[in-house]
Amino acid sequence: MQKHSVIGQSVQRIESEEKVTGRLKYLEDLKLSGVLQAKILRSPVAHASIREIDVREAAKLPGVVAILTREDIVGNPAYDSHYGPIYKDQTIVAIDKVRYVGDPVAAVAATRADIAEEALDRIEVEYDELPAVFDAEEALAEGAPVLHDKVEMRREGFADVGGIRPVDGTNLCNQLHLSKGDIERGFRESDQVFENVFTSPSAQHSSLEPHTAIAQFEGPGRLTVWATVQNPFVIRDLLAEIFHLPLSKVRVISLNLGGGYGSKLYPKLEPLAAALALKARRPVAITLTREEVFQTLTKHAARIYLKTGVKNDGRIVARQCRIYLDTGAYAEIGPRVSKKSAYTAAGPYDIPNVQVDSYLAYTNKTPAGAFRGFGVSQSNWAHESEMDIIARALKIDPMELRRQNLLTEGSTAITGEPLYGLALRECLDEVAAAIEWGKRAEPENSDNPSLARGKGLACLIKTTVTPSVSSALIRLNEDGSATLYVGTADIGQGSDTVLAQIASEELRIPLEHVQVVHSDTDLTPYDLSTSSSRSTFHMGRAVQLAAEDIRKQLACLAAPVFQVGAEEIVLENQEARPRDGSQPGLSYKALFMKVYGIKGINLFGNGLFKTSTTQKSGELQTSSFWSIGAAAAEVEVDRETGQVRVVRYATAADVGKALNPLFCRQQLRGGAITGIGLALMEQLVYQDGLLINPNFLDYNLPRFLDIPEEIIPILIENPHPEGPYGAKGLGETALIPAPPAIANAIEDAVGVRITDLPITPERVFLAMQRKNKPTA
Amino acid sequence: MQKHSVIGQSVQRIESEEKVTGRLKYLEDLKLSGVLQAKILRSPVAHASIREIDVREAAKLPGVVAILTREDIVGNPAYDSHYGPIYKDQTIVAIDKVRYVGDPVAAVAATRADIAEEALDRIEVEYDELPAVFDAEEALAEGAPVLHDKVEMRREGFADVGGIRPVDGTNLCNQLHLSKGDIERGFRESDQVFENVFTSPSAQHSSLEPHTAIAQFEGPGRLTVWATVQNPFVIRDLLAEIFHLPLSKVRVISLNLGGGYGSKLYPKLEPLAAALALKARRPVAITLTREEVFQTLTKHAARIYLKTGVKNDGRIVARQCRIYLDTGAYAEIGPRVSKKSAYTAAGPYDIPNVQVDSYLAYTNKTPAGAFRGFGVSQSNWAHESEMDIIARALKIDPMELRRQNLLTEGSTAITGEPLYGLALRECLDEVAAAIEWGKRAEPENSDNPSLARGKGLACLIKTTVTPSVSSALIRLNEDGSATLYVGTADIGQGSDTVLAQIASEELRIPLEHVQVVHSDTDLTPYDLSTSSSRSTFHMGRAVQLAAEDIRKQLACLAAPVFQVGAEEIVLENQEARPRDGSQPGLSYKALFMKVYGIKGINLFGNGLFKTSTTQKSGELQTSSFWSIGAAAAEVEVDRETGQVRVVRYATAADVGKALNPLFCRQQLRGGAITGIGLALMEQLVYQDGLLINPNFLDYNLPRFLDIPEEIIPILIENPHPEGPYGAKGLGETALIPAPPAIANAIEDAVGVRITDLPITPERVFLAMQRKNKPTA
């Protein structure tokens, strides 16, 4: 086996120095000459018809260059009024209705941001308020106010969203019904049946960098957009559709991002900025305030009804999941979220009879979209909580209960496909060992009788978007240095560095000789997306293939020079030489000079990697790889206050192969912290459709003191046959199981079961009160 | 033969609308956040040792961030102190000596330009003045002050500058000695021998956009430079050498340029800006004032001794040229200029005995470099003037004399190689016809007896840089639109448009579906240079090859789908179909979907075109194509004042094939105007080494009233076997023969021969006076 030189090394991020010195440029640092600043007028009501919009006073304000309202977009031949990644249910600004508090109604581009802001105050809008609905289940009930009369599908959508359909005249945005075995027979065969309801609230992605877009039309029919996006190609494709342009005439540029977490995947400000730029005939920039970020995209609130039938020995016989997801006022990517949530809603268990019914509903709230885990954390919260409820009832160790039911080699998924190579058992064993599972947890301060400790476990399985495409291009310069072109956006995860490591390894050149050009649709080959933990796996393979293309070309150039076959050429240290050592090596530069006789040669290598919905065996493949992991939490609960402190958190992921172990551990740490936040404090609070905590004072995020002293990231290397060097993605693994692991540990500590997230001190306190004073 | 759809069409420039509305971004429009503004302290004396530089007072000025002097660069391991495209005779700032008025001595980077400017005033420099020399011949004389004690060669230079060497301890920067036949025998066999001396002065390129460079170091070992450069790859390669970086770690970006004319080919501000940025740890911008542009690069002043032996019937038997070129204080690309000047110094004539001795001398003046025509206009001034002197003496029509001696098919050049396909005769005939050659020129206003009219001709031949490399990359997007990546800088010549026309033609897609990404070394494949009229020929071919690569890939994808051979696939209208019409076509998008089953496919096609110093026949090839042209001028001279007005100017170029006839004619018009300026008014005036007219008030350029009403551009289509569709370059063709054509017309009008450029009214007046009052 080949020894790797840079793969598996914990090298620092290429951009570290720029980042820590504050020199790295983010989009807000970009100052285009002549750029206008735009501000958005947003709906103050949750649901209303718009009677009139009067911009006359605003237009008089000196410095105002363009105002965009429905007047501009309805019937404008330059662009479509409706768009969206799956359904065309969004409009550039509101047309006849507003559907949530924060819905864009108009936008002003002015020479200064404060002028644009002032102009907003001068725009008069008359609304006719309509009844509104704020809960997914209520929205689907008979007689609920309907947000969209009719929703048009996008003509050419994503490959993995087939079968998704809204139901016109209702708020049912999407539904999914999966089953395996015979659920009724399963329940009949069960010794005990458990039924619980689990809820999780909307939450914020909390990227440090807010959404920004700068749009510029150059000449006729050429649009450039700089935007904080994880998916520049998706944005390009959508803008090309909306503005009726060839793909080559839309350029979307994403710089390094200050976090994404799913919030920067689909169009946000880009169509609006472009429409304003077209009207103003000048570049237009929009940067959201923090409040507006909160009003732009959230995580799906969920209510999950879970019913599980088990044998007394712990074998799970049947599981039924009914999922209600609240997608807010517009579908955005919600239908895919509901789909991914449903696939693994029964958990990583081999259950003969399963039924999943998933409902996605429009409500008059902020649109919900992708959020680290893509709907899986909601269903994981349910099934991993219920596992412990069952274990406690059956008096079986929760770890044993899981081990007994885990998916194993060749287990059949709810989709009917066999699953292979899932290192669930190893992940579970490792996290359990890391927190000394089986050893009773004791508070350090035994003098304080109000403190109690407990331990909890959870595991997870998650799909990645399939099928999908990543492509990479490499230019080998004549001095043996290389430029790598990838569509992957570096959102802080370190993709530039890991992809450069792969190029370095494959081309046998020093890492510091690789330059990465990233996420610019004019300059990099197509990549579907930086999301779904897919980049290392997909783009990593594309980089390998591109490098292989380069190596082949080098070998073909060198073979006649050395008078050996191309397969006899060894490439190492920026040199080509015959394998038999009969002749000294030639540097690539010298080789080019020998073959071409002149300076200025560069080779291009191209790599295309695509995944399929079919396994090699011919069977269905829902996911090109499965994210597998487990978490174990030790918590300390204060019986006096209900306050929960996570003392230790172990998180294991099946990474396939850790290409950069440091980054893998950082990913797991970061995910764990978000997971702890979602478990204990994060939630968006709405009152009659009004979000009342749209800022970081009122929206609680984990502070340094909330982070456990001991976060133990564990990397399980279980090589994937298709991943680069066996690697898989791990970006969402640590977060997903945190809430149930913590809830399970809380029950272990103080005997109460919390089924609603977040697990606030108040909820724990009240639950303890209820437990101690039984009502009956 | 294939009918072309967009080739040969006079489409408008892609960027026209942006240009005429002022929205096109030039480098000065780029505002980097945190950028410092730099100013350069320049030598006030022509030649001196530097005793001391005291920057203490300057450093105290608030806002000054970094000051660069020789202290910083001598012995600095981060970069080389000496550099240059051929010789390493330049330094980032002066070390022990200054060599011309304007030589950079120190530079200051500050938060504002005015602060940097003020800081310059506070820098104290003590000079020990040295004797200086301002004339090339004087500089080569015994005892002249020597500028450079020893000049180091650049380790890896250009492919075409072999044999170039300076002579240490002298001012001889380069010399060239070419010969053919036996020059002495030639003169012995001549009936008459003519000897003349022709001079031409230094001149300015007069680009509207001044030189600008912005340099930024990102992290360790990564340098980005935005610069007004025609040769981004040459600048990249030199910066990589100077700063010891891999090629992938230097990025040079050139935006659309506001003119180049040879002035923006080699490093100007880039090394200095980068050294300052490294010291300041912030980006640094430098923009030259117009005075500084004049102090940065000029056209070579020349003195040419020409001796021609002829038979009485007009046949030229021998020609001897002794050329002195003044390259100023630093070699820059001077040695190549002297080489190119020498190759065609005897003119486009088939002369059996030729000797050319060319000397390039350092002097204490502004460095001279490339200037439209690369040294050829200086020698053309000499030989085309002498042709008319001979014709007049032999009483032969100047056109007949030329026809009699022109190079013909298979004529041997001075380099010994046979020449083919030169449409000299056609060019000459066409320009002559255009001004009604043979018909006596008469002033329109016959009442004014002081006015006289005359006609004159000139022809030219010029090499292009050989060997050289251009490469192009094309991305075909799935909707059939394409992105074209070329290193060619669009300097106003329209390269983006013409290269897009070629891509459009070859890919059979609409022109407006082609996007061009240009002149950025991170993003585009290697290209030697945008100069030497080479881009259409070289890059045009590279684009054709890249498109061919794409077509092959498409045919290979489509063949199995249609179950025919790849050669049976026809690609048209963004569709693939079988040639026999048996099946309906598939759009590329549908084809990709059929083959790959998923969205997001893009194909990359790569084209590399290189020229060689060997013809296919095995014989030497000095030039991959020869620029061929002729000009005819009709002038009106005022006998009272010596004022010359060009009434008509016809200019013909052998363009091979006019890919965009509009652009070809624009090139010829633009060149004609510059040529008329050089003929009649342009010159840099030095007094003791001090340039006294470094601005557009004192340096005369043609104004609108100086431009002839009738400029007649004539395109001769004489297809070149290697050019795209037969095209050749034409950028320098109209300019070169203008001065001799005009001088010849003046002699035809008033009987005086001017041998020194520019032909000012004063010179004509004095010559007429001398002629009317013979001294003997």
Side-chain angles (χ1 to χ4, degrees), chain B residues 667-679:
Chain B
Q667 281 272 8
L668 290 179
R669 266 179 208 281
I673 294 167
T674 303
I676 291 167
L678 293 170

Side-chain angles (χ1 to χ4, degrees), chain B residues 625-693:
Chain B
F625 68 84
W626 297 82
S627 284
I628 294 297
E634 179 176 344
V635 303
E636 187 169 85
V637 185
D638 188 330
R639 290 195 188 85
E640 296 283 328
T641 62
Q643 182 79 40
V644 176
R645 187 167 72 86
V646 180
V647 179
R648 287 202 274 189
Y649 186 80
T651 163
D654 171 6
V655 300
K657 161 79 184 170
L659 304 190
N660 185 318
L662 172 69
F663 292 8
C664 293
R665 289 192 293 266
Q666 286 174 334
Q667 281 272 8
L668 290 179
R669 266 179 208 281
I673 294 167
T674 303
I676 291 167
L678 293 170
L680 298 180
M681 56 194 81
E682 297 191 41
Q683 64 177 323
L684 295 174
V685 183
Y686 287 89
Q687 281 185 358
D688 293 335
L690 178 70
L691 176 61
I692 61 167
N693 61 340

Side-chain angles (χ1 to χ4, degrees), chain B residues 343-594:
Chain B
Y343 279 139
T344 53
Y349 304 110
D350 194 359
I351 306 172
N353 306 293
V354 185
Q355 185 177 324
V356 176
D357 299 284
S358 175
Y359 302 92
L360 182 74
Y362 285 120
T363 69
N364 294 107
K365 281 157 71 188
T366 318
F371 184 105
R372 292 183 93 169
F374 236 97
V376 174
S377 66
Q378 290 92 329
S379 53
N380 188 276
W381 164 238
H383 62 70
E384 287 308 282
S385 293
E386 189 148 292
M387 288 305 280
D388 272 46
I389 293 173
I390 294 165
R392 192 159 291 267
L394 300 183
K395 298 198 168 45
I396 299 180
D397 180 307
M399 178 160 167
E400 282 312 313
L401 182 72
R402 286 183 173 81
R403 280 185 171 175
Q404 205 175 334
N405 289 287
L406 280 180
L407 291 164
T408 54
E409 201 65 6
S411 291
T412 306
I414 193 168
T415 52
E417 70 204 84
L419 302 176
Y420 301 102
L422 313 178
L424 279 160
R425 176 73 179 249
E426 294 86 329
C427 289
L428 188 62
D429 287 356
E430 291 276 349
V431 293
I435 66 158
E436 301 165 283
W437 185 258
K439 185 178 156 199
R440 182 72 220 155
E442 296 293 348
E444 275 171 26
N445 180 357
S446 53
D447 295 347
N448 183 346
S450 74
L451 296 182
R453 286 206 177 187
K455 294 180 181 177
L457 295 171
C459 5
L460 82 117
I461 183 168
K462 191 196 152 288
T463 59
T464 190
V465 57
T466 306
S468 80
V469 172
S470 287
S471 36
L473 185 73
I474 295 178
R475 180 180 71 184
L476 185 74
N477 300 306
E478 59 184 335
D479 67 347
S481 68
T483 311
L484 170 62
Y485 304 84
V486 289
T488 306
D490 199 314
I491 51 180
Q493 84 283 37
S495 56
D496 278 4
T497 307
V498 169
L499 298 172
Q501 282 180 275
I502 296 174
S504 159
E505 183 75 36
E506 297 286 321
L507 295 170
R508 287 44 153 178
I509 68 176
L511 181 60
E512 56 274 20
H513 283 209
V514 180
Q515 176 64 27
V516 181
V517 173
H518 68 194
S519 53
D520 178 327
T521 62
D522 255 20
L523 311 180
T524 60
Y526 185 89
D527 176 45
L528 175 70
S529 172
T530 302
S531 68
S532 203
S533 304
R534 66 182 290 285
S535 297
T536 299
F537 184 87
H538 295 80
M539 190 57 84
R541 282 291 291 139
V543 172
Q544 282 189 315
L545 293 168
E548 193 179 309
D549 187 0
I550 294 270
R551 286 206 314 272
K552 271 189 196 152
Q553 294 176 52
L554 283 169
C556 287
L557 288 178
V561 171
F562 292 110
Q563 295 181 295
V564 299
E567 66 290 350
E568 290 307 311
I569 297 295
V570 177
L571 303 168
E572 243 169 21
N573 303 323
Q574 286 150 307
E575 272 194 5
R577 58 178 170 79
R579 190 181 308 280
D580 63 11
S582 60
Q583 298 162 74
L586 273 179
S587 73
Y588 295 161
K589 186 178 254 177
L591 174 64
F592 291 155
M593 191 52 84
K594 212 149 194 140

Side-chain angles (χ1 to χ4, degrees), chain A residues 18 219 222 247-249 475 479 481-482 485 512-515 521-524 526 596 598 600 602 610, chain B residues 18 219 222 247-249 469 475 479 481 485 512-515 521-524 526 596 598 600 602 610:
Chain A
E18 287 292 280
R222 165 73 176 161
L247 294 178
S248 63
K249 293 296 175 175
R475 180 179 71 184
D479 67 348
S481 67
Y485 304 84
E512 56 274 19
H513 283 208
V514 180
Q515 178 64 27
T521 62
D522 255 20
L523 313 178
T524 60
Y526 184 89
Y596 293 99
I598 192 164
N602 34 214
K610 76 181 188 74
Chain B
E18 288 292 280
R222 166 72 176 163
L247 294 177
S248 62
K249 292 295 174 176
V469 172
R475 180 180 71 184
D479 67 347
S481 68
Y485 304 84
E512 56 274 20
H513 283 209
V514 180
Q515 176 64 27
T521 62
D522 255 20
L523 311 180
T524 60
Y526 185 89
Y596 293 100
I598 191 162
N602 33 215
K610 75 181 187 78

